[in-house]
Amino acid sequence: MAKLIKLDDKGVEFLDKIMELSGETITLCDQCGTCSGGCPFIAEMDVNPSQIMRQVMIGQKNIMESKTMWICASCFTCTVRCPRELDVSKVAEALRQVKLREAIDFIDIEKISEEEARILPSIAIVGAFRKFTG
Amino acid sequence: MKTGVYLCQCGGNISNTIDLPKIAKHVKEKKGDILIQENSHMCSGAGQKLIIDDIKNHGLEKVVVAACSPHFHEKTFRAALQKAGLNPYVLEISNFREHCSWAHKNEPEIATEKAKDIIDASIAKVELDFPLEEKKMQMGDEVLVIGGGIAGIQTSLDLADAGKKVTLVEKQPTLGGKMAILTKTFPTEDCAACIISPKMAAVQDHPNITLYTNSEIESIAGHRLHFEAKIKKNPRFILDTIDMDQCLICTKCVQECPIEQPNYWEQGIMNRKAIYIPAPHAIPYKYLIDKENCLHFKDGSCSICADVCPQKVIDFEQKAEFIDVAVDNVVVATGYDIYDATEKTVFGYGKYKNVVSALEMERIVDHISEKEPPREVGKRVAFVQCVGSRDKQIGREYCSRVCCMFSVKLASLLKQAKPETDIYIFYTDLRAFGKGYEEYYKRSQEMGIKFVRGKPSHFTEDPDTKQVIVTVEDTLSRDIIQSEFDLVVLANGMGLSAASEPIADQLKLAKSDDGFFKEAHPKYRPVDTLVEGIFLAGTAQGPKDIPDTVTQASAAAGRVLATLAQKEFSLDPVLAFVHQDICDGCKQCLNECPKKAISINADGKAEINEALCLGCGSCLASCPIEAIDLNYFTNDQMYAQIEASLSNKKEGEKRILIFADENTVYRLADACGVRKMKYSTDSRIFRIPSGSRMTSNLIKFALSKGADAVMIGDSPEKSSRFAWANNVTKENIKQVQSALNDLQIEPERLIFKEYSAGELARFTNDVDAIAEFLGTIAPIPNETRDKLFTAVRGE
Amino acid sequence: MKLPYFPGCTLKTTATNLEIPALEVAKRLGIEMIELDRWNCCGVVSYLVSDDLMKHLAPVRNFLRVQEMNAKGIVENENRLVTLCSMCYNTLSLSNKRMQKNPDDLQKINDFMHREETKYDGSVEVVHLLPIIRELGWEAVRKQVKKPLKNIKVASYYGCMLLRPKDVGIDDAEDPKILEELVSALGGETIDWDSGSRCCGSYHTVNNKDIVVNLSKGIIDDARKNGADVIITSCPLCAFNLDSRQKDIMEKYPEFESMPVVFFSQLMGAAFDIEKEKLGWEANYISPEILFNY
C-alpha cells in the first residue's frame, strides 16, 4: 500500500539541519543512482544511498531508522563519482551524528571477545568507536 | 538651462530603494539651474519623448539619465538625443539600478547616498562631454568561413547565393564534418549522407565559393571589419591539374598499397589504405596520401602507388601551399569533438573491447544490415547516457542536448535491423525537446526498447567472455541491476573541437563557462561574437542537433549579409586623440601602441590613425604631459567625475573606487546587481574602456581626493579585446604603489583584478574583502592626501 | 633526505611488518624517516560534519611537532610529514586541508592549544611514502633491486584511503598506477583487475565481521581470477581484513582458497634482499611463501 506523506515545516527543518551538518546541498541531488550503483556496501543496506538523499530532501525523518548510515564506512566511492559532486559520505555522517548526539551508542565493548581484542588492529577499534559512539 | 537630469523609477526597481525626490533635491541644491524630471519608465516611448520635448522646448545641451546599466538602454537614449537634434555623445547614464538599487536593495538609505555620488559624477562628466562624430569606413563582400561541416556549408551556400565571395577552409580532406559520419538522422530516419552530399557538391560547384580542404588557418588577425588570414593547404601528394594529366580514380594505387589504417570516416570499424579517398561521398572526390603511415615517408621502402599509376600524378615531393586572403567578415564554424571517454576510466572505454563510442555506433549501425557486417552487436545492448555531459567530476556540467535523441535513434535503427536484440537505455533525464522528438521517443518504446532510469556507476569486464558487466541502480524500482551486455554504447557529450583553440586564441574570442564560443548576447545577438565582424555558426557555439545547426548557420549568413549590406560602417568614435597644442613631439608614445596607430605628423607631433586605433587607452600612460587623450573618457572628464563622486564623502566614511572595463567587469557588476548579490556599499563603480586607461596620475588623484582604495578590474588577457592592456595596467599600478610606499600609504589600497564573465561571487567577495581590509587600517591622513595631490597637479 | 615521520598506533602494535621494512627500504633509497617526538593518535577516521572542529585537534597537534623539528634543526626546511599507514595519511591530510582552507578554524584550534609553545601556521604538507618514492624516480628503486620479483604476479590493492576523496588522493581516484609502477620497478608483474580500490569493509571488522568476510572474499577471489599470486597494500586495516580474516572466510566458505597479503614495504624489502628478520613475515596470517624463494 502506498504510503501517504505530508510535506511540512518539520520536514524542511530536518533537511536544513542535515544540510548544515553535512555541508552538502542535498537539493542538488539529481537521483541518478550513481552512488547506489557503485556502493560496495549496497548488499548490506536496507535503503539505497540515493534513497537516503531523496528521503532527506523531502523531509522524511523516519529515514533515521534505516541501518544504511551505519553500514556506510566513508569509503568515498560515491564522493568521487557523483556527477553533482555531492558528498554522500558526509550526509551519512551527519545522519549518524544526529543519532549519536542523543547519547545512543551503536557498539558495545563488552561484546568484543578477548581473542578478537588481542588480534584486532588498534585502528579498527578506535575507528569503530569513533564512528559508533557519541 | 543647459543640462537635463532624468530620474527613472524603473517601475519601482529603482524608486523602491533609492529616494528619488531626495536625489532631485540634492542635485537642485548642488547645481541650481538644472532641469530634473522623474518618470516611471524612461526607456518607454513616453520617457524618450520627455527627453526629446525638453531638448526642443528648453534648449537642453546635455542629458543625464539615471536608470539601468548603460548596457541596456544607452543606445535607446542616444537615439533619442539624435532625434532631437543633439549629438548622441553628450549623454551620460547613471547606473542606478544594477550598481545601486539592486545591489544594495536592503539598505535604502545608504543606497540613496551612493546614488548621489553616482549622479554627481555623471553630471560632472556630462558637462565636459563634447560632440563626437562616427567616421565611416567602406566594406567589401568577402567572407571567410572556417569549418566545412554542415554549419560552414550552410553559411557558405547562403552567402554565395546572395552574391558574396566566400572562402571556405576545412581541415579534413573532405567536406561534411561530423555529419558525414552519421548513419540516419533523428527523428525522420533519413540518411545523413543523402542530405549532406548534395550540399557538399553545391559548395564545390558554386562560382562564389573558393574551397580549401585538407587546409588549416595558419594565422588570422584583424579588427573591426577587416581580417587577414593565411591558409595552409596541406599536400595530398597528388598532382592537382585540370588537363589530361589528372587522376582518373582508377583505384590501381589503392589496390597495391600495402598499408592498412583505421578509417576515420568509419570510426575505425573498417580500414583504409595509406592512399585513399576518405568516404564514398567525399568532396572533393580525390585521393590523398596519409604521410604519417605511408612507407615512402617512413623509410623510403615503398613507392608502389607511384609505380602503378598510369597517369603518373603521384608526387611525393608536393609541399604545403600558403594562400593569403583578406576578408570583411569571418564566420567561425569549427564544430565539436565528442567527449573522449578514455578520461572516464570507470567505463573502460579503450580498455574493454565491447564498450564503444556513439560515433562508432553510428558506423556499426550503418553497416548492420550487410551480409557480413564489420562489427556484430550481440544479443543484449546497453546505451549509457550523459557520458561527458552533466558531470561535475570531469568539469562538464552542461547538457549536450543531442545525446538522448541519438541514442533513441541508434537503438531504434538497431532494433529495426535486428529485432531480436534486447536493448536498454540507461538515462538520468530523457530530453526529447524538438519537433517530432517526443513522438520518436514513444515509437522507440513501442518497439520494445527499455528505458531504465539510472546512471551506471562503473563497468567491469568478464575476463573470459569479454562481456561488459554494468552495475546500475534502477532508481525507479531501487533495485541494483548487475548484468552482462554484449555491447555498451556510450552517449558521448559534445565539447568545443580541439581545432577551434588556435582560432580562439588568435581572434581573441571569448568562451562561455561550458568552454564553447560565447555569443555576444544569448537572446538578441545569438550568432554575433563580441568581436565585430566575427560570427558563429553551429556547434562551436554550443551543443546542437542538425536542424538547430542549420538554422543558426543561416542566421549567421543573415547577420553577415545585414552587416555587408551597409556597404560602409561607422567607427566607434571612442578613440585616442592628441592635443596638438600640448604635444612636444617626444615620441615616447610611438612604441606603446600595439596596433601601430600612433605616428609623427608633418608638424613633428604625435597623431592617431583612427582606422587602426581601438580606443583602449593604453597609450595615455606613456605621455608624460597628458597630451594624448581619449574621446569620451578624457583626462579632464575622469578627474571631474572622480572628484564629484567623492565630494559628498563625510568624516569616517570609506570609499572604494572601482574602475571596471566596460566589456567584462562593468557587466559583471551589472550581473551581480541583476542577481541582487550584495557587496560593500562603500563601492563606486566607473566605466572605462580598459584598465590600462587608468594612468598613474588618475589613480593618485582618486586617492588624494578621498578614495580609500582603488580597484581596477579587467578581463583576463586571453579573453580581452586588448590583449596588451593588462601589462600596461600592471605597470601603472606598480608605479603608483611605489609612490604610495614612499608616502607610507598601504600599497594594498590599490588592487588590480582579472575576472572572467562568470565570476560574480569572486567579484563581490573581493569588494567585501577590500572593505574589510579598510576597516583594519587607519585612514590616510589629510596631509598625506595633499602630498599626493601635489604630486599629480603641482602646488 | 631527512623527513619528519608519523608512524601511528597500529605500526607500533599489529603492523610492525609495515613499519620495519619500510624504514629499511627508505634508508636504502636515501630517505631518513625521523619519528616525531611526542606524536599522538590521529583519530583514525576523519570527522566529516561541519561542527566537529574539536575532533580535528588530535591530528593538528602533530603538525606542531613538525614545526618544532624544523625549529630545532633536526630537519632542514622540511614541511613534509611522511606517513606509512593509509588511514593516518587520510585523516591527517583531511584535517590539514580543512585548516589550510579555513583560517577561522585554524585560529580556534590554535586558541585551544594555547599551552603549546608554537602555533600551527598551516604550512605542513602530509605525504605518504609512496609518492615520495615516485618523486625519486622508479630508476632509483630499480637500482636497489637485488632479487627481482621474477614470475610473481601482484595484485595492487589501494583500498580507499590512499585515493579518496580526490583532494587527498596520491593518484587518480579511478585509475591509480603508482603501486603497479612500483611492482614493475621491482621486476614483478601486475594484474589488471577491478577490485583494487574497492572497500574491504574497514572498521566493520570489529562488530560486523560478516560484511568484511563478504567484501574481502570478493576482493581476493577477483585477484585470483585475474591470476594474482599475492596482494599488496599499505593499509594495516585492509591488511587485517584481507589477511587475518581469511580464517573467517574459510570457516564460512570451506572451498575458499587463501592468498597471501603483504605490505608494499615487505615486497620492496624482498626485492631489495633485506635480511629476512627485518621483513616481519611471521606477522602475516597467510604465510607469503612465494616470496621466500623465487
PDB file of all heavy atoms in Angstrom, chain A residues 30-33 36-38 48 50-51 79-83, chain B residues 346 390-393 428 453-455 457-458 471 473 475 478 480:
ATOM      1  N   ASP A  30      20.288  14.753  -8.139  1.00  0.00           N
ATOM      2  CA  ASP A  30      19.533  14.514  -9.368  1.00  0.00           C
ATOM      3  C   ASP A  30      18.901  13.129  -9.388  1.00  0.00           C
ATOM      4  O   ASP A  30      18.246  12.767 -10.353  1.00  0.00           O
ATOM      5  CB  ASP A  30      20.535  14.591 -10.538  1.00  0.00           C
ATOM      6  CG  ASP A  30      20.091  15.568 -11.588  1.00  0.00           C
ATOM      7  OD1 ASP A  30      18.953  16.039 -11.506  1.00  0.00           O
ATOM      8  OD2 ASP A  30      20.889  15.851 -12.499  1.00  0.00           O
ATOM      9  N   GLN A  31      19.175  12.331  -8.363  1.00  0.00           N
ATOM     10  CA  GLN A  31      18.646  10.961  -8.302  1.00  0.00           C
ATOM     11  C   GLN A  31      19.083  10.123  -9.496  1.00  0.00           C
ATOM     12  O   GLN A  31      18.288   9.412 -10.101  1.00  0.00           O
ATOM     13  CB  GLN A  31      17.107  11.005  -8.189  1.00  0.00           C
ATOM     14  CG  GLN A  31      16.629  11.423  -6.816  1.00  0.00           C
ATOM     15  CD  GLN A  31      16.991  10.385  -5.762  1.00  0.00           C
ATOM     16  OE1 GLN A  31      16.653   9.220  -5.861  1.00  0.00           O
ATOM     17  NE2 GLN A  31      17.707  10.805  -4.720  1.00  0.00           N
ATOM     18  N   CYS A  32      20.358  10.224  -9.848  1.00  0.00           N
ATOM     19  CA  CYS A  32      20.819   9.449 -10.994  1.00  0.00           C
ATOM     20  C   CYS A  32      21.187   8.033 -10.590  1.00  0.00           C
ATOM     21  O   CYS A  32      21.305   7.157 -11.431  1.00  0.00           O
ATOM     22  CB  CYS A  32      22.019  10.138 -11.648  1.00  0.00           C
ATOM     23  SG  CYS A  32      23.503  10.103 -10.643  1.00  0.00           S
ATOM     24  N   GLY A  33      21.418   7.824  -9.289  1.00  0.00           N
ATOM     25  CA  GLY A  33      21.698   6.468  -8.815  1.00  0.00           C
ATOM     26  C   GLY A  33      23.148   6.044  -8.864  1.00  0.00           C
ATOM     27  O   GLY A  33      23.471   4.916  -8.522  1.00  0.00           O
ATOM     28  N   SER A  36      24.432   4.681  -5.491  1.00  0.00           N
ATOM     29  CA  SER A  36      23.946   3.348  -5.121  1.00  0.00           C
ATOM     30  C   SER A  36      24.609   2.271  -5.973  1.00  0.00           C
ATOM     31  O   SER A  36      25.005   1.228  -5.469  1.00  0.00           O
ATOM     32  CB  SER A  36      22.427   3.265  -5.308  1.00  0.00           C
ATOM     33  OG  SER A  36      21.799   4.264  -4.553  1.00  0.00           O
ATOM     34  N   GLY A  37      24.726   2.551  -7.266  1.00  0.00           N
ATOM     35  CA  GLY A  37      25.300   1.566  -8.168  1.00  0.00           C
ATOM     36  C   GLY A  37      26.745   1.239  -7.838  1.00  0.00           C
ATOM     37  O   GLY A  37      27.200   0.123  -8.063  1.00  0.00           O
ATOM     38  N   GLY A  38      27.472   2.211  -7.291  1.00  0.00           N
ATOM     39  CA  GLY A  38      28.884   1.990  -7.020  1.00  0.00           C
ATOM     40  C   GLY A  38      29.189   1.606  -5.589  1.00  0.00           C
ATOM     41  O   GLY A  38      30.328   1.274  -5.266  1.00  0.00           O
ATOM     42  N   ASN A  48      18.840   2.294  -0.164  1.00  0.00           N
ATOM     43  CA  ASN A  48      19.974   2.695  -1.006  1.00  0.00           C
ATOM     44  C   ASN A  48      20.440   4.120  -0.666  1.00  0.00           C
ATOM     45  O   ASN A  48      19.623   4.947  -0.262  1.00  0.00           O
ATOM     46  CB  ASN A  48      19.581   2.675  -2.484  1.00  0.00           C
ATOM     47  CG  ASN A  48      19.253   1.279  -2.975  1.00  0.00           C
ATOM     48  OD1 ASN A  48      19.363   0.319  -2.214  1.00  0.00           O
ATOM     49  ND2 ASN A  48      18.846   1.175  -4.224  1.00  0.00           N
ATOM     50  N   SER A  50      21.042   6.583  -2.588  1.00  0.00           N
ATOM     51  CA  SER A  50      20.294   7.595  -3.343  1.00  0.00           C
ATOM     52  C   SER A  50      18.924   7.830  -2.711  1.00  0.00           C
ATOM     53  O   SER A  50      18.402   8.943  -2.719  1.00  0.00           O
ATOM     54  CB  SER A  50      20.128   7.143  -4.794  1.00  0.00           C
ATOM     55  OG  SER A  50      19.534   5.868  -4.836  1.00  0.00           O
ATOM     56  N   GLN A  51      18.359   6.759  -2.154  1.00  0.00           N
ATOM     57  CA  GLN A  51      17.061   6.892  -1.474  1.00  0.00           C
ATOM     58  C   GLN A  51      17.194   7.721  -0.200  1.00  0.00           C
ATOM     59  O   GLN A  51      16.307   8.476   0.154  1.00  0.00           O
ATOM     60  CB  GLN A  51      16.580   5.501  -1.066  1.00  0.00           C
ATOM     61  CG  GLN A  51      15.400   5.002  -1.839  1.00  0.00           C
ATOM     62  CD  GLN A  51      15.137   3.558  -1.482  1.00  0.00           C
ATOM     63  OE1 GLN A  51      16.076   2.751  -1.464  1.00  0.00           O
ATOM     64  NE2 GLN A  51      13.902   3.236  -1.198  1.00  0.00           N
ATOM     65  N   THR A  79      31.552   9.690  -3.365  1.00  0.00           N
ATOM     66  CA  THR A  79      32.060  11.063  -3.387  1.00  0.00           C
ATOM     67  C   THR A  79      32.799  11.382  -4.675  1.00  0.00           C
ATOM     68  O   THR A  79      32.664  12.474  -5.219  1.00  0.00           O
ATOM     69  CB  THR A  79      33.040  11.269  -2.206  1.00  0.00           C
ATOM     70  OG1 THR A  79      32.440  10.746  -1.035  1.00  0.00           O
ATOM     71  CG2 THR A  79      33.404  12.722  -2.014  1.00  0.00           C
ATOM     72  N   VAL A  80      33.597  10.426  -5.145  1.00  0.00           N
ATOM     73  CA  VAL A  80      34.397  10.718  -6.340  1.00  0.00           C
ATOM     74  C   VAL A  80      33.630  10.443  -7.627  1.00  0.00           C
ATOM     75  O   VAL A  80      34.154  10.680  -8.714  1.00  0.00           O
ATOM     76  CB  VAL A  80      35.739   9.936  -6.363  1.00  0.00           C
ATOM     77  CG1 VAL A  80      36.582  10.307  -5.169  1.00  0.00           C
ATOM     78  CG2 VAL A  80      35.521   8.432  -6.422  1.00  0.00           C
ATOM     79  N   ARG A  81      32.407   9.927  -7.519  1.00  0.00           N
ATOM     80  CA  ARG A  81      31.659   9.624  -8.748  1.00  0.00           C
ATOM     81  C   ARG A  81      30.429  10.485  -8.943  1.00  0.00           C
ATOM     82  O   ARG A  81      29.963  10.634 -10.075  1.00  0.00           O
ATOM     83  CB  ARG A  81      31.240   8.150  -8.753  1.00  0.00           C
ATOM     84  CG  ARG A  81      32.417   7.244  -8.992  1.00  0.00           C
ATOM     85  CD  ARG A  81      32.006   5.805  -9.250  1.00  0.00           C
ATOM     86  NE  ARG A  81      33.215   4.978  -9.314  1.00  0.00           N
ATOM     87  CZ  ARG A  81      33.233   3.690  -9.078  1.00  0.00           C
ATOM     88  NH1 ARG A  81      32.117   3.056  -8.790  1.00  0.00           N
ATOM     89  NH2 ARG A  81      34.366   3.022  -9.162  1.00  0.00           N
ATOM     90  N   CYS A  82      29.871  11.044  -7.891  1.00  0.00           N
ATOM     91  CA  CYS A  82      28.617  11.793  -8.022  1.00  0.00           C
ATOM     92  C   CYS A  82      28.761  12.881  -9.085  1.00  0.00           C
ATOM     93  O   CYS A  82      29.634  13.736  -8.990  1.00  0.00           O
ATOM     94  CB  CYS A  82      28.240  12.440  -6.688  1.00  0.00           C
ATOM     95  SG  CYS A  82      26.825  13.559  -6.874  1.00  0.00           S
ATOM     96  N   PRO A  83      27.912  12.852 -10.111  1.00  0.00           N
ATOM     97  CA  PRO A  83      28.040  13.852 -11.179  1.00  0.00           C
ATOM     98  C   PRO A  83      27.793  15.280 -10.690  1.00  0.00           C
ATOM     99  O   PRO A  83      28.150  16.229 -11.378  1.00  0.00           O
ATOM    100  CB  PRO A  83      26.962  13.454 -12.189  1.00  0.00           C
ATOM    101  CG  PRO A  83      26.520  12.096 -11.817  1.00  0.00           C
ATOM    102  CD  PRO A  83      26.815  11.910 -10.368  1.00  0.00           C
TER     103      PRO A  83
ATOM    104  N   VAL B 346      36.141   4.751 -15.298  1.00  0.00           N
ATOM    105  CA  VAL B 346      35.187   3.766 -14.754  1.00  0.00           C
ATOM    106  C   VAL B 346      34.415   3.045 -15.850  1.00  0.00           C
ATOM    107  O   VAL B 346      33.855   1.982 -15.608  1.00  0.00           O
ATOM    108  CB  VAL B 346      34.166   4.407 -13.790  1.00  0.00           C
ATOM    109  CG1 VAL B 346      34.770   4.619 -12.430  1.00  0.00           C
ATOM    110  CG2 VAL B 346      33.581   5.690 -14.349  1.00  0.00           C
ATOM    111  N   ARG B 390      26.812  16.756 -18.093  1.00  0.00           N
ATOM    112  CA  ARG B 390      26.153  16.839 -16.784  1.00  0.00           C
ATOM    113  C   ARG B 390      26.971  16.123 -15.712  1.00  0.00           C
ATOM    114  O   ARG B 390      26.435  15.419 -14.869  1.00  0.00           O
ATOM    115  CB  ARG B 390      24.746  16.229 -16.875  1.00  0.00           C
ATOM    116  CG  ARG B 390      23.899  16.846 -17.971  1.00  0.00           C
ATOM    117  CD  ARG B 390      22.544  16.197 -18.046  1.00  0.00           C
ATOM    118  NE  ARG B 390      21.733  16.503 -16.887  1.00  0.00           N
ATOM    119  CZ  ARG B 390      20.697  15.785 -16.485  1.00  0.00           C
ATOM    120  NH1 ARG B 390      20.339  14.715 -17.136  1.00  0.00           N
ATOM    121  NH2 ARG B 390      20.009  16.145 -15.433  1.00  0.00           N
ATOM    122  N   ASP B 391      28.277  16.309 -15.749  1.00  0.00           N
ATOM    123  CA  ASP B 391      29.140  15.589 -14.818  1.00  0.00           C
ATOM    124  C   ASP B 391      30.227  16.524 -14.301  1.00  0.00           C
ATOM    125  O   ASP B 391      31.197  16.828 -14.984  1.00  0.00           O
ATOM    126  CB  ASP B 391      29.761  14.381 -15.542  1.00  0.00           C
ATOM    127  CG  ASP B 391      30.551  13.485 -14.589  1.00  0.00           C
ATOM    128  OD1 ASP B 391      30.760  13.900 -13.430  1.00  0.00           O
ATOM    129  OD2 ASP B 391      30.946  12.393 -15.013  1.00  0.00           O
ATOM    130  N   LYS B 392      30.022  16.982 -13.074  1.00  0.00           N
ATOM    131  CA  LYS B 392      30.954  17.944 -12.494  1.00  0.00           C
ATOM    132  C   LYS B 392      32.333  17.327 -12.267  1.00  0.00           C
ATOM    133  O   LYS B 392      33.339  18.028 -12.288  1.00  0.00           O
ATOM    134  CB  LYS B 392      30.375  18.448 -11.163  1.00  0.00           C
ATOM    135  CG  LYS B 392      30.945  19.764 -10.713  1.00  0.00           C
ATOM    136  CD  LYS B 392      30.240  20.288  -9.488  1.00  0.00           C
ATOM    137  CE  LYS B 392      30.950  21.531  -8.971  1.00  0.00           C
ATOM    138  NZ  LYS B 392      30.466  21.921  -7.647  1.00  0.00           N
ATOM    139  N   GLN B 393      32.340  15.996 -12.054  1.00  0.00           N
ATOM    140  CA  GLN B 393      33.618  15.326 -11.774  1.00  0.00           C
ATOM    141  C   GLN B 393      34.630  15.544 -12.901  1.00  0.00           C
ATOM    142  O   GLN B 393      35.830  15.514 -12.672  1.00  0.00           O
ATOM    143  CB  GLN B 393      33.406  13.816 -11.576  1.00  0.00           C
ATOM    144  CG  GLN B 393      32.519  13.450 -10.397  1.00  0.00           C
ATOM    145  CD  GLN B 393      33.236  13.521  -9.052  1.00  0.00           C
ATOM    146  OE1 GLN B 393      34.433  13.765  -8.976  1.00  0.00           O
ATOM    147  NE2 GLN B 393      32.489  13.332  -7.981  1.00  0.00           N
ATOM    148  N   THR B 428      19.385   9.491 -17.049  1.00  0.00           N
ATOM    149  CA  THR B 428      19.025  10.207 -15.819  1.00  0.00           C
ATOM    150  C   THR B 428      17.775  11.044 -16.067  1.00  0.00           C
ATOM    151  O   THR B 428      16.841  11.045 -15.278  1.00  0.00           O
ATOM    152  CB  THR B 428      20.183  11.104 -15.351  1.00  0.00           C
ATOM    153  OG1 THR B 428      21.356  10.317 -15.244  1.00  0.00           O
ATOM    154  CG2 THR B 428      19.877  11.724 -14.000  1.00  0.00           C
ATOM    155  N   ARG B 453      15.814   4.183 -15.688  1.00  0.00           N
ATOM    156  CA  ARG B 453      16.279   5.441 -15.125  1.00  0.00           C
ATOM    157  C   ARG B 453      17.359   5.201 -14.074  1.00  0.00           C
ATOM    158  O   ARG B 453      17.073   4.821 -12.941  1.00  0.00           O
ATOM    159  CB  ARG B 453      15.117   6.224 -14.507  1.00  0.00           C
ATOM    160  CG  ARG B 453      15.525   7.665 -14.237  1.00  0.00           C
ATOM    161  CD  ARG B 453      14.499   8.424 -13.413  1.00  0.00           C
ATOM    162  NE  ARG B 453      15.032   9.741 -13.120  1.00  0.00           N
ATOM    163  CZ  ARG B 453      16.015   9.963 -12.243  1.00  0.00           C
ATOM    164  NH1 ARG B 453      16.532   8.967 -11.561  1.00  0.00           N
ATOM    165  NH2 ARG B 453      16.470  11.186 -12.062  1.00  0.00           N
ATOM    166  N   GLY B 454      18.599   5.396 -14.491  1.00  0.00           N
ATOM    167  CA  GLY B 454      19.711   5.215 -13.563  1.00  0.00           C
ATOM    168  C   GLY B 454      21.009   5.393 -14.312  1.00  0.00           C
ATOM    169  O   GLY B 454      21.108   5.057 -15.497  1.00  0.00           O
ATOM    170  N   LYS B 455      22.006   5.976 -13.651  1.00  0.00           N
ATOM    171  CA  LYS B 455      23.289   6.194 -14.309  1.00  0.00           C
ATOM    172  C   LYS B 455      24.274   5.150 -13.790  1.00  0.00           C
ATOM    173  O   LYS B 455      24.542   5.104 -12.585  1.00  0.00           O
ATOM    174  CB  LYS B 455      23.781   7.608 -13.995  1.00  0.00           C
ATOM    175  CG  LYS B 455      25.087   7.920 -14.677  1.00  0.00           C
ATOM    176  CD  LYS B 455      25.395   9.404 -14.682  1.00  0.00           C
ATOM    177  CE  LYS B 455      26.728   9.610 -15.385  1.00  0.00           C
ATOM    178  NZ  LYS B 455      26.965  10.943 -15.819  1.00  0.00           N
ATOM    179  N   SER B 457      27.329   3.260 -12.403  1.00  0.00           N
ATOM    180  CA  SER B 457      28.436   3.771 -11.602  1.00  0.00           C
ATOM    181  C   SER B 457      29.767   3.379 -12.231  1.00  0.00           C
ATOM    182  O   SER B 457      30.709   4.152 -12.258  1.00  0.00           O
ATOM    183  CB  SER B 457      28.316   3.204 -10.202  1.00  0.00           C
ATOM    184  OG  SER B 457      29.519   3.321  -9.521  1.00  0.00           O
ATOM    185  N   HIS B 458      29.841   2.157 -12.740  1.00  0.00           N
ATOM    186  CA  HIS B 458      31.093   1.662 -13.322  1.00  0.00           C
ATOM    187  C   HIS B 458      30.789   0.397 -14.104  1.00  0.00           C
ATOM    188  O   HIS B 458      29.753  -0.226 -13.908  1.00  0.00           O
ATOM    189  CB  HIS B 458      32.107   1.349 -12.214  1.00  0.00           C
ATOM    190  CG  HIS B 458      31.630   0.305 -11.250  1.00  0.00           C
ATOM    191  ND1 HIS B 458      30.712   0.574 -10.255  1.00  0.00           N
ATOM    192  CD2 HIS B 458      31.914  -1.013 -11.150  1.00  0.00           C
ATOM    193  CE1 HIS B 458      30.468  -0.530  -9.573  1.00  0.00           C
ATOM    194  NE2 HIS B 458      31.168  -1.506 -10.088  1.00  0.00           N
ATOM    195  N   THR B 471      26.874  -2.133 -13.698  1.00  0.00           N
ATOM    196  CA  THR B 471      26.232  -2.046 -12.390  1.00  0.00           C
ATOM    197  C   THR B 471      25.510  -0.713 -12.317  1.00  0.00           C
ATOM    198  O   THR B 471      26.110   0.337 -12.513  1.00  0.00           O
ATOM    199  CB  THR B 471      27.264  -2.134 -11.254  1.00  0.00           C
ATOM    200  OG1 THR B 471      28.076  -3.274 -11.476  1.00  0.00           O
ATOM    201  CG2 THR B 471      26.583  -2.241  -9.906  1.00  0.00           C
ATOM    202  N   GLU B 473      21.881   1.383 -10.492  1.00  0.00           N
ATOM    203  CA  GLU B 473      20.641   1.375  -9.723  1.00  0.00           C
ATOM    204  C   GLU B 473      19.490   1.733 -10.658  1.00  0.00           C
ATOM    205  O   GLU B 473      19.556   2.749 -11.350  1.00  0.00           O
ATOM    206  CB  GLU B 473      20.686   2.399  -8.579  1.00  0.00           C
ATOM    207  CG  GLU B 473      19.375   2.421  -7.803  1.00  0.00           C
ATOM    208  CD  GLU B 473      19.285   3.527  -6.747  1.00  0.00           C
ATOM    209  OE1 GLU B 473      19.910   4.584  -6.920  1.00  0.00           O
ATOM    210  OE2 GLU B 473      18.593   3.331  -5.757  1.00  0.00           O
ATOM    211  N   THR B 475      16.654   3.492 -10.546  1.00  0.00           N
ATOM    212  CA  THR B 475      16.222   4.408  -9.473  1.00  0.00           C
ATOM    213  C   THR B 475      14.707   4.406  -9.301  1.00  0.00           C
ATOM    214  O   THR B 475      14.206   4.967  -8.330  1.00  0.00           O
ATOM    215  CB  THR B 475      16.701   5.859  -9.743  1.00  0.00           C
ATOM    216  OG1 THR B 475      16.143   6.302 -10.989  1.00  0.00           O
ATOM    217  CG2 THR B 475      18.200   5.944  -9.795  1.00  0.00           C
ATOM    218  N   ARG B 478      14.468   0.930  -7.390  1.00  0.00           N
ATOM    219  CA  ARG B 478      15.511   0.906  -6.348  1.00  0.00           C
ATOM    220  C   ARG B 478      16.269  -0.413  -6.301  1.00  0.00           C
ATOM    221  O   ARG B 478      16.963  -0.710  -5.331  1.00  0.00           O
ATOM    222  CB  ARG B 478      14.934   1.232  -4.951  1.00  0.00           C
ATOM    223  CG  ARG B 478      14.326   2.623  -4.845  1.00  0.00           C
ATOM    224  CD  ARG B 478      15.356   3.700  -5.040  1.00  0.00           C
ATOM    225  NE  ARG B 478      14.760   5.036  -4.969  1.00  0.00           N
ATOM    226  CZ  ARG B 478      15.453   6.161  -5.121  1.00  0.00           C
ATOM    227  NH1 ARG B 478      16.750   6.109  -5.341  1.00  0.00           N
ATOM    228  NH2 ARG B 478      14.867   7.322  -5.054  1.00  0.00           N
ATOM    229  N   ILE B 480      19.269  -2.900  -7.687  1.00  0.00           N
ATOM    230  CA  ILE B 480      20.572  -2.730  -8.315  1.00  0.00           C
ATOM    231  C   ILE B 480      20.673  -3.761  -9.435  1.00  0.00           C
ATOM    232  O   ILE B 480      20.593  -4.964  -9.182  1.00  0.00           O
ATOM    233  CB  ILE B 480      21.724  -2.937  -7.311  1.00  0.00           C
ATOM    234  CG1 ILE B 480      21.562  -2.021  -6.101  1.00  0.00           C
ATOM    235  CG2 ILE B 480      23.076  -2.732  -8.002  1.00  0.00           C
ATOM    236  CD1 ILE B 480      21.713  -0.545  -6.365  1.00  0.00           C
TER     237      ILE B 480
END
